[in-house]
Amino acid sequence: MSIREKYPFSFLENKNNTLSFALENSTVMARVFVLEEDIVRVLVNNGDTLQMSNTWFVAPDMDDIPMQGRNRLDTSPFTLPSFTAREEEAAFIVETKKLRLHINLDGFKCTWFYKDAAGADIHLMSDRNTQAYNFEGELGRGIFHYITRKRHEAYYGLGEKAGNTNRYGQRYRMLNVDPMGYDAEYTDPLYKHIPFYITRDEKTKTAFGLFYDNMSKAVFDMGKEMDNYHGLYRYFQADAGDLDYYLIAGPRISGIVKRYSWLTGKTIFPPKWSLGYSGSTMSYTEAPNAQERLNEFLELCEKHDVLCDSFQLSSGYTSINGKRYAFNWNMEKFPSPKNFTKGYHDKNVNLCANIKPCLLRDHPLFTELKEKGLFITNNTGEPEMAQFWDGIGAYPDFTNPQTIAWWKKKVTEMLLEYGIDSTWNDNNEYEIWSSHEVLCNGFGSRVAFELTRALQPLLMMKASFEAQKEFAPEKRPYLISRSGAPGMQRYVQTWSGDNYTDWKTIKYNNKMAVGLSLSGIYNIGHDVGGFAGPPPEPELFVRWVQNGIFYPRFTIHSWNDDETANVPWMYEDVKAIITDLIKFRHRLIPYLYTALYQARKTFEPIVKPTFYDFDDDEETFTENDDFMLGYSILVASVVEKGNTERRVYLPKHKAGWYDYHTSTWYESGQTVTIPAPLRYAPFLVKEGSIIPVNNAECSFLSKTKDERGFELFPHRGSGEACYELFEDDGISSHYCGNHTKIKVRMESSAEAIKVEIKKEGNYEVPYSGFSFYLPKGEERTLFVNGQKTPVLQIKVISG
């Protein structure tokens, strides 16, 4: 292995905001794309062509992109701002209004600066001075990018990684696997491939984002490795592909997150029912009388008055002799699937059916797919066989248009026409471990599987998405996927996979959620109660539900060792608490629905670390177990056994915080201890907040009732607050046109609280008026649109 002493690059041309450079006496080329004032891209490749000519991850401000992807060199979706470029001795300087890039042409080593409002340069990142890249592959297999590291940096993102929110000092594999029963503190890798992270300099308070558009398995070393010859560094290494990265300027983390989300595409806006409680357990579909067990679930929801909006049908419905076969209905377990789905619809409960992409070699459809060439293959043209669940199988190749057409046809014929409302795309990690050459169709241009590893799950969910849209074009599709990559938010809701039943799982699942949110994946949740392991004890189950009601995805799901199911009525002593918590979740749907709309419209996360909104307060960067839900709610879940109080830091802002349940007001910028009895979920609300609620008294049979109230948390002195509530029918695909916004403005003074409400839009809301709620002890007079108005006390969970 030889190491050159010099890598002299020369500037070639500036064309369409793309600067091209060539390495002397080599086929290596480097390009710099000035895409936005705050986004600059660097692409380094060897040879005349790119290893992957298209991208599926980059979709600026787009709902969707073609199945075959976008041309990787197409810059038309960007604004392509004016910039300056000049050569100075052995360096090349590129400047926008927000960024300055200094390129050392000896080795193409990049140093990046953020330009503040005064025009001063703040250092962001530098390539390592020694062997920053592996030009021509001489440093080994795949690609490398080595960057200098500072001891006072913090790193956030990389998706749903285990452990703490700050990734500093750790090493992670970027590889989709199925680690059922994982340890939420330590297990790596997990389910998703998100090659994006944020660096924050704790001294300059300046942050930037770094996104690698690469689909191969990879390693991110965030400072775990050290080497005396190279100084402090971190690195990205991928097994295949070209080095293609985007740098997103800050300086604030919140701006970077929204900008990255914009870069990878809009968050899907699913039907409102997707925010309700969703039941699920493998125990029911594994049972020989699965249809009876699932009908019994509906009866018990009605008996115990549990508000349930959907049920996620696990894969046991597809079984033959105990094995799972996609698109097969086991008619012994389900004698009448269409009657089964009708029964659920009659009770206003929607159904999401599990589908898996791998076909076992004795699958009834295996030969058909093999003969049509629809599988990923080995270098002999035979289907590449891999371990999957109950045996050996092969994966359909979603880079083959014929596979996509076949998949959509099966989703339609075997699920949607049977009355299934949603697809649950599961076990789609594409775990192909073979060391010999594995190939994909590549949309007509054969390509190594490793180059498309993270793409296959993305195209699978997109194929399911298209099937649902084509089957019911008047309805918004709702899908779920366990695995995925950047851009998955355009199609699905996701969750943190098959977690283990343990107290610490709640704690670290919260941190996983924060990691996903900081990585542009907003519609998220967890398996409430724990999926694998023993059933949760009653206290743990209650605390898990208390945590789960504050996520966009609220699903109680399980595959307990003793074959029991986690259901709301599983423990008589806490059944009433669980039922009330689910009703409280139902009450919060208008707030959650509007947050989901804003996630799509303005790229704003729903679940956020406290530093996202309060980054002027350094204390919020200390590791904690709290998170913000939307703009107003600070969730302080109990994550330790036996605790009936909760210490929580209240981020600094101009006003204070209310304990939702006691109405106690606290000054911000301090750590307080709040009550946390088992009967309710502890959380606080930011002073000056307006929270919309569904204040209808709903039961299982009347859960579609919708009335509107506003819980007001006025400034204690003088102050103003505004809120904009989004309303539509919750299901139609034309939501962008037929909707109404309820604009609420609250002005507080020492004597009165004045609220102004205006409606804008063409959707007729299903209620005729509003109710108003104030914290206990609030004695000021409330005026709504100039009229003195009666108020109610904030409704707490009674238990």
Side-chain angles (χ1 to χ4, degrees), residues 407-677:
W407 183 267
K408 289 168 63 176
K409 184 172 184 288
K410 288 299 178 184
V411 166
T412 301
E413 292 177 347
M414 301 306 298
L415 297 176
L416 305 180
E417 290 180 357
Y418 274 77
I420 295 298
D421 304 282
S422 166
T423 55
W424 169 10
N425 297 262
D426 199 21
N427 294 95
N428 51 347
E429 287 74 33
Y430 271 71
E431 291 195 42
I432 295 176
W433 297 93
S434 175
S435 59
H436 63 270
E437 189 175 13
V438 180
L439 298 171
C440 299
N441 178 276
F443 294 96
S445 179
R446 299 287 280 174
V447 64
F449 164 74
E450 191 57 49
L451 286 165
T452 70
R453 180 180 289 274
L455 175 60
Q456 295 287 344
L458 192 67
L459 293 183
M460 172 190 168
M461 67 184 80
K462 178 170 166 53
S464 299
F465 171 81
E466 290 188 354
Q468 290 182 223
K469 280 187 66 178
E470 291 166 12
F471 181 77
E474 75 285 358
K475 293 182 179 180
R476 267 176 264 163
Y478 169 57
L479 298 87
I480 311 158
S481 181
R482 187 173 70 183
S483 185
M488 67 183 296
Q489 73 274 6
R490 305 191 296 259
Y491 313 114
V492 299
Q493 181 189 77
T494 191
W495 84 107
S496 56
D498 297 345
N499 54 9
Y500 187 77
T501 306
D502 191 2
W503 275 94
K504 76 172 182 179
T505 303
I506 305 178
K507 175 187 181 81
Y508 287 103
N509 271 173
N510 285 339
K511 295 176 186 292
M512 286 184 186
V514 163
L516 280 167
S517 287
L518 293 175
S519 306
I521 311 296
Y522 299 158
N523 194 346
I524 53 178
H526 313 288
D527 278 350
V528 172
F531 177 80
E537 62 185 7
E539 181 189 359
L540 175 57
F541 189 41
V542 170
R543 294 304 193 191
W544 219 316
V545 172
Q546 288 175 355
N547 182 71
I549 62 173
F550 294 112
Y551 279 94
R553 179 186 188 267
F554 174 45
T555 303
I556 299 174
H557 186 33
S558 59
W559 181 228
N560 297 333
D561 291 344
D562 63 0
E563 299 184 3
T564 60
N566 295 346
V567 287
W569 49 84
M570 67 189 295
Y571 297 117
E572 184 65 32
D573 291 348
V574 297
K575 179 182 67 177
I577 297 176
I578 300 292
T579 301
D580 281 345
L581 285 164
I582 293 173
K583 288 184 176 180
F584 185 73
R585 160 64 174 224
H586 188 78
R587 182 176 175 83
L588 283 178
I589 293 297
Y591 180 76
L592 288 161
Y593 192 57
T594 299
L596 189 55
Y597 170 77
Q598 289 299 330
R600 172 187 172 78
K601 192 74 173 177
T602 66
F603 304 98
E604 184 72 29
I606 302 169
V607 171
K608 302 174 281 190
T610 51
F611 61 71
Y612 183 92
D613 289 325
F614 305 101
D615 60 355
D616 289 335
D617 183 353
E618 283 298 308
E619 185 61 30
T620 62
F621 289 93
T622 301
E623 287 290 336
N624 61 73
D625 301 320
D626 315 325
F627 61 87
M628 292 293 298
L629 175 64
Y631 292 103
S632 300
I633 292 176
L634 174 59
V635 179
S637 299
V638 174
V639 298
E640 295 178 351
K641 181 179 173 63
N643 284 4
T644 56
E645 294 181 327
R646 178 64 153 77
R647 284 176 57 81
V648 55
Y649 177 75
L650 306 179
K652 291 179 185 177
H653 70 114
K654 292 180 180 179
W657 297 85
Y658 287 93
D659 182 323
Y660 179 86
H661 297 283
T662 67
S663 294
T664 304
W665 179 88
Y666 298 98
E667 187 175 353
S668 66
Q670 62 170 328
T671 298
V672 300
T673 300
I674 63 172

Side-chain angles (χ1 to χ4, degrees), residues 24 27 68 87 93 118 236 241 267 279 289 420 470 476 500 546 603 614 656 662 723 769 778:
E24 292 181 11
T27 57
Q68 66 270 24
E87 194 165 357
I93 314 298
F236 161 78
T267 296
N289 60 338
I420 295 298
E470 291 166 12
R476 267 176 264 163
Y500 187 77
Q546 288 175 355
F603 304 98
F614 305 101
T662 67
Y723 182 82
E778 179 56 70

Side-chain angles (χ1 to χ4, degrees), residues 710-726:
F710 289 100
E711 297 188 345
L712 309 175
F713 298 83
H715 290 91
R716 283 162 46 95
S718 60
E720 293 184 10
C722 295
Y723 182 82
E724 191 172 276
L725 170 68
F726 180 85

